């Protein structure tokens, strides 16, 4: 079954998108609501709360047309080595205030932390859930072993990780674990943070593993060729086709588009209602297999973050 589409609100915080205009962020939320998107993903760190604020304010503004109980707001807590687990409840309440709501639907831990025991944090999140401050708990970017171990002890119902034509690593372990344990898999960066979209220049994206010189020199011409092929055999743009392909992959429940203005989102939502033609799907399967051969096997994520297991 095809995954549903959610709106990722990272760009609203402007950390990696300094040219993002608030007016565009606001219009993107409206466009999402009016096109039937009900899932919004943000994080405490996106613009130090700015993204939570813009998203929450706009969802609240339109609550008469789109009632809050029909909307899912997911946010993510950034835990650091210095986080006292007892501060988690305060962090959750801070997000709730910024989101202009009385509860968070899905509260995820954004990243694992080397040598830090997440269990006390998850205990606090359990308590927040029982109190009604959050509805569900999720993990993001955790390695497969940690996901399995923590999900066996705590009620984890969501996992958020990257998935795109350039990054299919979750197929190996994460998605099978999610299926096994009844955890929903939410795919982020379906266009590899924009590399598979319109712009061919990767300026400002040096945080991505794909842009390391020894990888990019092979990957860049492959992506250019892929974009030409899509234009030749399909009416979809490369961005539309690449995102639709992610939505059709087995084991993926939700795909977060990072469309950051109305035009981009309208294109994505239009494509999301179609099905990928078979020859294009087969071409993408092979293209993604070739891309994965370029990537180091021991990388856990597309940002090349590393941590030591606790
Ligand atoms: N849990 C985590 O650690 C984590 C990490 C990353 C993301 N996320 C979540 O996932 C969401 C999506 O991630 P992402 O922003 O990397 O998604 P993405 O969709 O892979 O990349 C977004 C970029 O794609 C380009 N784009 C979007 N729609 C397009 C269209 N119709 N045509 C051409 N290009 C298009 C835009 O590039 P331009 O900027 O060039 O316009 C946009 O900035 C984020 O907003 C966030 O909520 C979570």
């Amino acid at each position: 079954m095809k995954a549903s589409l959610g709106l990722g609100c990272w760009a609203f915080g402007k950390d990696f998108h300094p040219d993002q205009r608030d007016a565009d962020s606001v219009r993107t939320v409206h466009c999402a609501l009016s096109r039937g998107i009900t899932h919004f993903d943000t994080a405490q760190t996106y613009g130090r709360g700015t993204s939570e604020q813009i998203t929450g304010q706009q969802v609240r503004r339109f609550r008469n047309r789109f009632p809050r109980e029909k909307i899912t707001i997911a946010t993510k807590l950034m835990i650091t080595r210095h986080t006292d687990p007892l501060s988690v409840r305060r962090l959750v309440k801070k997000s709730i205030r910024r989101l202009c709501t009385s509860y968070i639907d899905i509260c995820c831990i954004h990243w694992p932390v080397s040598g830090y025991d997440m269990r006390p944090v998850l205990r606090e999140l359990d308590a927040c859930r029982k109190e009604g401050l959050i509805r569900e708990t999720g993990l993001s970017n955790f390695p497969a072993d940690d996901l399995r171990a923590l999900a066996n002890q705590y009620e984890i119902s969501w996992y958020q990780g990257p998935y795109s034509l350039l990054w299919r690593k979750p197929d190996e372990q994460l998605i099978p674990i999610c299926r096994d344990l009844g955890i929903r898999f939410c795919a982020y960066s379906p266009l590899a943070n924009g590399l598979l979209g319109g712009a061919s220049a990767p300026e400002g994206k040096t945080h991505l593993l794909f842009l390391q010189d020894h990888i990019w020199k092979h990957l860049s011409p492959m992506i250019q060729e892929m974009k030409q092929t899509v234009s030749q055999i399909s009416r979809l743009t490369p961005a539309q086709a690449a995102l639709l392909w992610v939505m059709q992959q087995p084991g993926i429940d939700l795909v977060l588009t990072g469309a950051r203005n109305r035009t981009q989102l309208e294109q994505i939502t239009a494509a999301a209602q179609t099905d990928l033609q078979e020859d294009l799907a087969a071409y993408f399967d092979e293209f993604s297999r070739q891309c994965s051969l370029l990537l180091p096997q021991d990388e856990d994520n597309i940002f090349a973050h590393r941590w030591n297991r606790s």
Side-chain angles (χ1 to χ4, degrees):
M1 212 174 73
K2 208 199 290 180
S4 26
L5 188 66
L7 180 68
C9 305
W10 181 17
F12 301 175
K14 304 182 193 177
D15 320 77
F16 289 91
H17 303 88
D19 61 334
Q20 181 72 13
R21 294 183 314 157
D22 289 347
D24 276 325
S25 305
V26 166
R27 283 193 203 107
T28 309
V29 177
H30 298 176
C31 175
L33 288 167
S34 59
R35 280 166 188 261
I37 289 181
T38 55
H39 185 113
F40 294 85
D41 179 79
T42 179
Q44 295 189 326
T45 48
Y46 297 169
R48 295 186 182 182
T50 307
S51 166
E52 285 188 329
Q53 248 162 5
I54 293 178
T55 309
Q57 279 167 0
Q58 296 314 311
V59 167
R60 185 174 158 80
R61 182 169 159 209
F62 287 90
R63 65 191 182 283
N64 289 339
R65 269 175 72 200
F66 307 101
R68 172 68 182 92
E69 60 276 15
K70 300 234 159 106
I71 304 291
T72 301
I73 299 180
T75 195
K76 304 187 273 303
L77 303 186
M78 186 61 82
I79 304 297
T80 72
R81 263 176 330 118
H82 307 294
T83 305
D84 175 357
L86 294 178
S87 67
V88 162
R89 194 167 170 280
R90 188 172 46 79
L91 293 176
V92 166
K93 286 194 153 181
K94 223 171 167 178
S95 276
I96 287 177
R97 273 198 301 280
R98 282 196 293 249
L99 288 163
C100 309
T101 183
S102 54
Y103 65 94
I104 295 166
D105 297 273
I106 304 166
C107 186
C108 289
I109 301 177
H110 206 148
W111 287 93
V113 182
S114 289
Y116 184 98
D117 183 3
M118 277 303 164
R119 288 173 299 180
V121 171
L122 284 163
R123 269 201 294 278
E124 286 302 305
L125 288 176
D126 261 355
C128 290
R129 198 163 38 74
K130 285 177 189 137
E131 231 181 290
L133 296 174
I134 66 178
R135 299 248 158 118
E136 296 181 78
T137 306
L139 296 178
S140 174
N141 298 308
F142 280 63
D145 292 349
D146 293 8
L147 169 63
R148 190 184 279 286
L150 293 170
N152 277 328
Q153 271 185 282
Y154 299 93
E155 209 173 299
I156 311 284
S157 43
W158 283 88
Y159 181 87
Q160 193 179 119
Y163 197 101
S164 69
L165 286 167
L166 302 192
W167 187 262
R168 297 186 64 179
K169 208 156 181 174
D171 288 339
E172 293 165 16
Q173 291 190 63
L174 287 166
I175 289 179
I177 292 173
C178 286
R179 282 183 150 177
D180 197 21
L181 300 179
I183 296 169
R184 279 160 293 169
F185 186 93
C186 165
Y188 74 70
S189 296
L191 301 184
N193 200 217
L195 294 182
L196 300 169
S200 51
E203 277 90 31
K205 304 201 179 197
T206 47
H207 49 282
L208 292 173
L209 165 73
F210 311 117
L211 294 187
Q212 291 179 0
D213 287 345
H214 63 288
I215 300 176
W216 187 241
K217 73 176 178 205
H218 301 294
L219 201 50
S220 173
M222 287 168 68
I223 293 174
Q224 290 318 313
E225 196 187 312
M226 177 278 282
K227 288 178 179 172
Q228 278 168 10
T229 305
V230 172
S231 314
Q232 281 159 10
I233 65 174
S234 164
R235 286 195 190 163
L236 299 174
T237 66
Q240 288 177 311
L243 187 127
L244 189 51
W245 177 85
V246 177
M247 289 180 79
Q248 293 189 186
Q249 295 312 297
I252 295 186
D253 297 289
L254 181 86
V255 178
L256 293 175
T257 169
R260 60 194 188 100
N261 57 49
R262 201 159 53 187
T263 309
Q264 287 183 343
L265 187 59
E266 280 171 352
Q267 287 175 5
I268 295 296
T269 51
Q273 282 160 26
T274 64
D275 289 315
L276 206 56
Q277 62 199 62
E278 275 178 27
D279 55 346
L280 191 49
Y283 170 78
F284 275 159
D285 288 344
E286 180 53 20
F287 171 76
S288 65
R289 201 185 66 76
Q290 295 292 339
C291 292
S292 62
L293 296 176
L294 297 173
L295 303 176
Q297 275 306 301
D298 58 345
E299 286 294 353
D300 272 339
N301 62 77
I302 63 170
F303 301 104
H305 291 334
R306 285 178 181 279
W307 43 82
N308 307 314
R309 306 290 190 264
S310 45

